[in-house]
Amino acid sequence: MIEITPQQLPVLSRWFPTGSPGLGALAEHVLTTGTGHWWADRPDQPRVLAVTCADHVLLRGDPGVLAPDAVARFADRYVDTPARFWPALGSAFERIVPWERMTYVHQAQAPVALPRTPRGVTVRRLMPEDVPALAALHSEYAWIHASWGGPAGLAGSGHGWAAFAKGRILSVACTYFLGSAYEDIAVVTVPDRRRERLALACVAGLTADIRARGHTASWCCSRDNRPSRLLAWTAGFRLTREHVHHITGRALERTARAAPAGPDTGVQRPVVRPGRPKVPVGAAVGGGRTRCDVPVSDRPPLPDRTVDLSDLP
């Protein structure tokens, strides 16, 4: 697949319907913010179209027109695609792990008990001058601003809230994918300031802003990630959909052979693991993403947007 410019895009409504919650807002986010990339099998009248942002991929179209290694560039990513693409993924990567996901949508009428802010902590909207504080977060949490192209993009977007103490960011909640109707959110809390309900406070401020924009907040997490599901419920989100993403491993190495005899194509066989990866509660990073049971060499760089039990009421 080749990268194309936004000017080369076909009418997107056929490929990525607008007004969708969760990961469905990714295409609109890339089109609106310019953070991300568009890919197609050909520049004119594409038959396969993909959009990528941060560690996520939306892939649509006719997989029958793709070469075996056409999707290899999407290694170590989370891929959302119809079932007809699964054989193409299986032939392109060493390992494919199905990952059951849950999408929640915020309900304005749901009762939410707002937490009391700890002494010395301020919870407020992010501003452009907060770039140094965002950049100072540990590299493990850099994913929180990846969908905005970095700290400056998130700080200047008007779509984030954070808890501060002495100029240091303790927790961040932000719109991760900005759609025309829904804003899919993410949250992270530094480990040494857990058990203070800071994530809940940031999410409360963020969802109020989202409502004021005439949008609705959505929340995606792994089915196995009970802490994230509990925080979503506590913050007023309710389950609307269950679906499956696929975590891709390394791209298969392919060797060219002249006139191969028999069925051997010179391509390593992929390993497709059934079921879903385990997401251990103990591995959670407060408000951040947890790791799954994919070997280290095959893990995507940015696992689940999740929360730690210590952020719960």
Side-chain angles (χ1 to χ4, degrees), residues 89-96 252 268-272:
L89 294 179
S91 66
F93 305 103
E94 291 182 3
R95 180 173 287 115
I96 302 294
L252 285 170
Q268 300 178 32
R269 300 298 299 168
V271 177
V272 180

Side-chain angles (χ1 to χ4, degrees), residues 136-154:
L137 286 170
H138 191 280
S139 59
E140 186 174 358
Y141 312 129
W143 63 265
I144 192 69
H145 45 66
S147 67
W148 291 95
L154 176 56

